[in-house]
């Protein structure tokens, strides 16, 4: 049976050919190598039309232009040469589009990313919709790659090297108005007239290349270019610390094309694409992509419909939860607090977040009003009778949370789910007095709720399957990545985080300066260091869970004794302006609070090598992660890797704790822990699960491509 084409051509009465892109049986359009003959076929059909005046590429999908290349196609490459040839195929087909004798216009609605934008760049003109779904970008760097179908060559020529490098090195996606201002698109219009405007642009004929803005022209000269690339390299190194080789290759490919011509640029691009595809960093990032995509598809069938949400508590967490429920999920949310001030605080939280979007022109004032209208509040349970799910975000007090369960069961419907945002209390204890324990579940958000992408969903033994699925569905609608974890103290993320931070504190008590500890872990690949992280989370919050973990798991979770002095000195971190760092003055650069050294009776001196500091902290985390999998705290290595990367910023290029241990080898991890144990104490003793893996020569994943079972796109 002949494969149905994803590209088909029709010619209008005005002699404009319309090529519709519609990948069969897929929600989104993605580019695959198998489509190259199909694209060539429609291009040849167009060439043979005697009176053709122009071409328009448009999507047949309701909400997607082209979301990128199929990542599984890239993942299937077995050598750098395979991947290089794949890039060359893409370059050739884009060159054929660019060489067409008639004007070609890309009519863009929805995501136009990676290979999709490269196709649009091969066209003479581009028009996009003003719709919120429309995004344009080259996100390949986020997979440890660079654009491989001419993107590093055409984008700098269209908008200038400075603007192009900013887009390619960050992978960020632009909204319609941003793309228009930058010169990436020629027009941005309402969706209803997209095709009409594209046809008018095609009828204007071929267009000479537009002159670049003055700033870009200055940077395009030899002297300006040298300054630009030197500055870009320095800024890139400061952000990546050499952990992402793709950034260096992007700079090389762009510069080669500008200095030696587009042909040499294409060769450099394809060569770099091939070699980067084979790097462990890109492999890890691609597997994270497959894992998070697979996770999004779980529990879809079992969830109950959600129409109205309740939130108990108008504090920082309650306000954040209400904000993402309204803004991201688009669901009406009712906040209950014992004080009117609490409700007002939560409402202001949402107003401030939305106002920032209005200021950045990401949202209109009318849009802000529409989203705010979804949030209401009360000091009693009026309006809660028909809430399908109520999220409790009150103080970490067991009796108070049990009281909240009783009140929700009294005032809400029998099917209402009660989800507790707790970071330390067992869900089984919260549900202990419940009339309907099957409706009780944990839903652990991370602060700040609007920024942190992960939630932990924690069923207790009696939680129903429907409750789990419906809670996961809400988290997804809120824009979160959800992992289901076991109901044990610390759950997963805080449990692996606590030993990591504790070890950083021990380095500090040995006299290592605050900034060198943080710098060591940032250079290793974390977005912030462990000391700064503790300040951001709140020293009081961060240490509250340690006694619970110590009681459950033993003295490896015990906080260093001297650390009590920090809490006694009323240091809570950023939230009260007193922590390990100073938060006074207008300086953007955070300064360590040196008065802390005298408080802890230490003389700061940089003695430890940064690599050793990172190793000590990391090995404590890896050892605990191995225990978590062995004890069933996480369902799989995949969930554990996603939880660590999305929850605490574990370096994405390492793929997560389990992929990183597979890369190191269990035997090497055990030997490193044993050496640290002899030097620093029994807390580094390798756990039994790790020892057994090392003896058997087993990995955590059965194979390095275990999670690659989905055809999805991002590049």
């Amino acid at each position: 049976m002949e494969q149905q084409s994803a590209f088909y051509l029709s010619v209008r009465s005005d002699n404009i050919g319309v090529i519709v892109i519609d990948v069969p049986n897929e929600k989104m359009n993605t580019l695959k190598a198998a489509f190259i003959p199909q694209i060539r076929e429609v291009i040849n059909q167009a060439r043979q039309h005697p009176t053709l005046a122009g071409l328009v590429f448009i999507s047949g999908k309701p909400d997607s232009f082209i979301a990128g290349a199929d990542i599984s196609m890239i993942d299937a490459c077995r050598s750098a040469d395979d991947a290089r040839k794949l890039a060359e195929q893409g370059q050739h087909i884009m060159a054929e589009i660019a060489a067409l004798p008639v004007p070609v216009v890309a009519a863009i609605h929805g995501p136009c990313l990676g290979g999709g934008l490269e196709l649009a760049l091969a066209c003479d003109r581009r028009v996009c919709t003003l719709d919120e779904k429309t995004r344009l970008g080259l996100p390949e760097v986020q997979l440890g790659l660079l654009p491989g179908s001419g993107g590093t060559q055409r984008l700098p020529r269209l908008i200038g090297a400075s603007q192009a490098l900013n887009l390619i090195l960050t992978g960020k996606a632009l909204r319609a108005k941003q793309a228009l201002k930058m010169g990436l698109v020629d027009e941005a219009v309402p969706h209803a007239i997209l095709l009409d405007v594209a046809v008018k642009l095609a009828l204007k004929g071929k267009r000479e290349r537009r002159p670049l803005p003055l700033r870009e022209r200055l940077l395009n000269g030899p002297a300006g270019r040298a300054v630009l690339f030197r500055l870009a390299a320095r800024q890139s190194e400061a952000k990546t610390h050499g952990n992402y080789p793709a950034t260096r290759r992007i700079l090389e490919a762009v510069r080669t094309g500008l200095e030696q011509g587009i042909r040499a640029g294409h060769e450099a691009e394809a060569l770099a694409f091939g070699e980067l595809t084979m790097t462990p960093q890109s492999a890890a990032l691609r597997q994270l992509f497959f894992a998070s995509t697979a996770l999004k598809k779980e529990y879809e069938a079992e969830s109950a419909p959600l129409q109205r949400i309740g939130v108990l508590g108008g504090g920082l967490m309650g306000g954040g939860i209400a904000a993402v429920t309204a803004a991201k999920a688009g669901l009406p949310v009712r906040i209950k607090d014992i004080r009117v001030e609490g409700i007002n605080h939560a409402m202001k939280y949402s107003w401030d977040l939305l106002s920032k979007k209005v200021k950045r022109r990401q949202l209109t004032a009318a849009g802000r009003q529409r989203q705010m209208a979804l949030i209401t509040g009360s000091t009693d349970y009026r309006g809660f009778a028909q809430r399908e799910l109520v999220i409790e975000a009150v103080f970490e007090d067991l009796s108070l949370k049990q009281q909240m369960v009783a009140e929700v069961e009294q005032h809400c419907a029998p099917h209402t789910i009660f989800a507790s945002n707790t970071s330390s209390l067992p869900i089984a204890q919260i549900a202990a007095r419940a009339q309907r324990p099957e409706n009780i579940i944990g839903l652990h958000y991370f602060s700040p709720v609007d920024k942190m992408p992960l939630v932990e969903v924690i069923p207790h033994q009696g939680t129903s399957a429907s409750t789990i699925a419906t809670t996961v569905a809400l988290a997804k609608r809120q824009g979160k990545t959800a992992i289901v974890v076991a109901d044990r103290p610390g759950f997963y993320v805080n449990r692996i985080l606590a030993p990591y931070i504790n070890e950083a504190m021990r380095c500090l008590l040995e006299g290592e300066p605050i900034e060198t500890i943080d710098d060591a872990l940032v250079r290793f690949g974390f977005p912030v260091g462990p000391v700064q992280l503790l300040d951001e989370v709140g020293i009081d919050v961060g240490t509250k869970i340690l006694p619970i973990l110590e009681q459950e798991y033993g003295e490896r979770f015990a906080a260093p004794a001297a650390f009590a002095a920090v809490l006694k000195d009323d240091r809570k971190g950023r939230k009260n302006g007193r922590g390990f760092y100073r938060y006074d003055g207008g300086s953007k650069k955070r300064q360590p609070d040196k008065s802390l050294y005298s408080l802890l009776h230490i003389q700061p001196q940089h003695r430890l090598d940064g690599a050793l500091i990172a190793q000590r902290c990391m090995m404590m985390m890896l050892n605990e992660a191995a225990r978590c999998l062995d004890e069933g705290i996480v369902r799989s290595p995949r969930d554990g890797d996603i939880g660590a990367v999305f929850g605490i910023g574990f370096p994405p290029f390492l793929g997560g704790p389990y992929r990183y241990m597979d890369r190191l080898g269990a035997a090497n991890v055990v030997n490193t822990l044993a050496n640290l144990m002899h030097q620093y104490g029994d807390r580094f003793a390798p756990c039994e699960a790790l020892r057994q893996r090392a003896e058997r020569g087993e990995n955590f994943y059965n194979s390095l491509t275990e999670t690659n079972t989905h055809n999805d796109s991002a590049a």
Side-chain angles (χ1 to χ4, degrees), residues 131-170:
D131 195 279
E132 182 63 21
K133 296 184 182 76
T134 296
R135 292 285 190 278
L136 298 93
L138 295 171
E140 287 86 351
V141 71
Q142 295 168 6
L143 293 174
L145 300 169
L146 85 173
S149 297
T152 65
Q153 305 307 304
R154 288 193 174 87
L155 190 61
R157 285 166 172 77
L158 178 68
I159 63 173
S162 173
Q163 292 190 122
L165 284 173
N166 184 40
L167 281 181
I168 301 172
L169 287 169
T170 62

Side-chain angles (χ1 to χ4, degrees), residues 148-319:
S149 297
T152 65
Q153 305 307 304
R154 288 193 174 87
L155 190 61
R157 285 166 172 77
L158 178 68
I159 63 173
S162 173
Q163 292 190 122
L165 284 173
N166 184 40
L167 281 181
I168 301 172
L169 287 169
T170 62
K172 68 182 176 185
L174 300 176
R175 291 174 169 80
K177 286 183 179 176
Q178 293 171 309
L180 182 64
K181 185 178 179 181
M182 194 176 281
L184 183 55
V185 298
D186 299 270
E187 292 197 39
V189 300
H191 188 198
I193 60 170
L194 176 65
L195 181 58
D196 292 340
V197 173
V199 167
K200 284 176 185 174
L201 287 174
L203 287 168
K204 284 184 177 180
K206 282 275 191 185
R207 184 188 64 187
E208 295 297 317
R209 199 194 313 168
R210 219 172 13 189
L212 293 171
L214 177 61
R215 178 178 180 272
E216 293 293 340
R217 291 204 301 274
L218 290 171
L219 290 171
N220 211 31
R225 195 182 300 140
V227 171
L228 170 64
F229 280 89
R230 189 163 59 246
L231 182 64
R234 191 183 306 146
Q235 289 175 339
S236 180
E237 175 62 27
K239 284 182 181 177
T240 67
H241 303 285
N243 291 319
Y244 293 84
T247 55
R248 180 175 55 82
R249 302 303 296 271
I250 288 166
L251 289 167
E252 287 174 4
V254 173
R255 189 164 193 172
T256 298
L258 292 174
E259 293 180 348
Q260 299 176 34
I262 196 164
R263 184 173 178 179
H266 275 126
E267 288 176 3
E269 179 187 85
L271 182 66
F273 185 88
E275 291 174 357
L276 287 169
T277 300
M278 294 297 116
T279 61
Q281 292 91 340
S282 181
L285 291 164
R286 293 198 304 272
Q287 294 310 317
L288 270 178
F289 170 79
F290 289 124
S292 58
T293 303
L295 203 58
K296 287 173 189 170
K297 295 178 179 178
E298 291 187 347
Y299 295 106
E300 285 179 349
E302 302 97 328
S303 64
L306 289 166
Q307 294 178 313
R308 293 165 294 271
I309 304 299
V311 172
L312 305 180
L316 187 66
M317 295 303 289

Side-chain angles (χ1 to χ4, degrees), residues 354-365:
L354 294 171
S355 295
K356 285 179 186 174
K357 287 190 173 184
V358 172
K359 192 174 181 181
R360 295 185 198 125
R361 299 187 177 180
Q362 296 170 357
L363 185 71
T364 63

Side-chain angles (χ1 to χ4, degrees), residues 39 107 143 225 247 316 352 358 360 379 462 549 620 629 709:
I39 302 173
L143 293 174
R225 195 182 300 140
T247 55
L316 187 66
D352 289 345
V358 172
R360 295 185 198 125
T379 54
L549 293 170
M620 290 297 287
L629 186 65
T709 56

Side-chain angles (χ1 to χ4, degrees), residues 103-107 120 123-127 186 201-202 204-208:
V104 185
V105 179
C123 300
D124 297 289
R125 292 183 175 92
R126 288 147 296 282
V127 56
D186 299 270
L201 287 174
K204 284 184 177 180
K206 282 275 191 185
R207 184 188 64 187
E208 295 297 317

